[in-house]
Amino acid sequence: MDLSAVQAALSDKSYSSLAPLCDELLLQAASRGTTTDEWPYAVHLLAHLYLNDLNSARFFWKSLPQEVKGARPELAAIWRIGQCLWNRDYAGVYTAAQGFEWGPDIADFIAAFLESYIQRIFQLLTSAYSTITVADVAHFMGMSEEDSTNYAVQNGWSLDAGTKMLTVKKPKAQTNQKLDASKLQRLTECVFHLEH
């Protein structure tokens, strides 16, 4: 089985392309009856988690034979991350990711996943809160209070040290283009023409 495309995507750090690539290669291998003993199951599972495609990750995990799940500790460790994501155990994602000694071929992928996850959680916090405690930000982001405060302040939030509250900096809303009267008149004429 030729896995050079997967290795190339890993070395190029094209992580967002890995899930569809692995899915396609696995389907091709299954259609040919090729053995998948050397298949990079851990990379495939992590690729779905990287894209935040939890349903595909769950179905992929369920489709794996028990002997594969039991024989590959790295795969089981990635599945623990997936379980934490599924259960919305934000701090557990970091604990699971940092609590395993990753191999050199996947360590960069795990680091990229965690960075992507931090950005996604930070965007969710930005859209959901106007003010939030430092402890809550630390919990959601899986960081220490000091690290999470530094991250938030670097991204434009402000800190009230007395109350240990962070004030969220909301992104500027896009202003819609205003129509002038001539454009509205032309649109009205087109609609009138179509109706009659």
Side-chain angles (χ1 to χ4, degrees):
M1 175 180 311
D2 183 24
L3 297 174
S4 59
V6 174
Q7 293 303 324
L10 280 171
S11 64
D12 293 343
K13 299 183 190 256
S14 302
Y15 302 127
S16 57
S17 67
L18 275 169
L21 176 65
C22 286
D23 288 341
E24 181 64 29
L25 289 174
L26 192 60
L27 283 173
Q28 288 175 6
S31 69
R32 292 185 195 128
T34 309
T35 62
T36 56
D37 296 338
E38 60 193 48
W39 186 255
Y41 292 107
V43 170
H44 194 163
L45 182 60
L46 184 57
H48 285 297
L49 297 180
Y50 183 82
L51 295 177
N52 199 29
D53 187 359
L54 298 181
N55 286 327
S56 293
R58 276 186 52 229
F59 292 128
F60 178 69
W61 175 257
K62 286 181 178 186
S63 72
L64 297 177
Q66 275 306 118
E67 55 272 5
V68 170
K69 293 176 184 177
R72 300 182 183 201
E74 205 165 58
L75 178 63
I78 291 172
W79 180 239
R80 278 192 290 283
I81 295 171
Q83 289 173 314
C84 291
L85 288 169
W86 185 261
N87 293 321
R88 294 188 177 107
D89 178 6
Y90 306 108
V93 170
Y94 301 100
T95 304
Q98 295 168 345
F100 188 81
E101 191 67 36
W102 302 103
D105 55 334
I106 202 166
D108 288 343
F109 195 5
I110 289 288
F113 163 77
L114 284 176
E115 181 59 34
S116 168
Y117 183 70
I118 287 170
Q119 290 173 356
R120 193 167 54 238
I121 290 296
F122 192 76
Q123 288 172 349
L124 285 172
L125 293 175
T126 300
S127 65
Y129 291 92
S130 58
T131 58
I132 185 171
T133 65
V134 170
D136 285 343
V137 173
H139 168 73
F140 286 120
M141 296 185 66
M143 300 176 171
S144 68
E145 288 189 8
E146 182 180 343
D147 290 343
S148 62
T149 301
N150 289 338
Y151 188 89
V153 169
Q154 287 172 357
N155 284 284
W157 292 15
S158 57
L159 171 67
D160 181 356
T163 60
K164 287 194 144 195
M165 294 288 287
L166 287 163
T167 303
V168 176
K169 178 185 174 191
K170 297 283 185 185
K172 290 186 178 182
Q174 282 187 326
T175 57
N176 292 335
Q177 181 181 359
K178 295 186 179 185
L179 294 175
D180 62 16
S182 64
K183 289 181 182 177
L184 188 58
Q185 179 64 34
R186 281 196 339 228
L187 179 64
T188 305
E189 289 172 3
C190 287
V191 170
F192 181 78
H193 178 71
L194 291 173
E195 288 180 350
H196 297 285

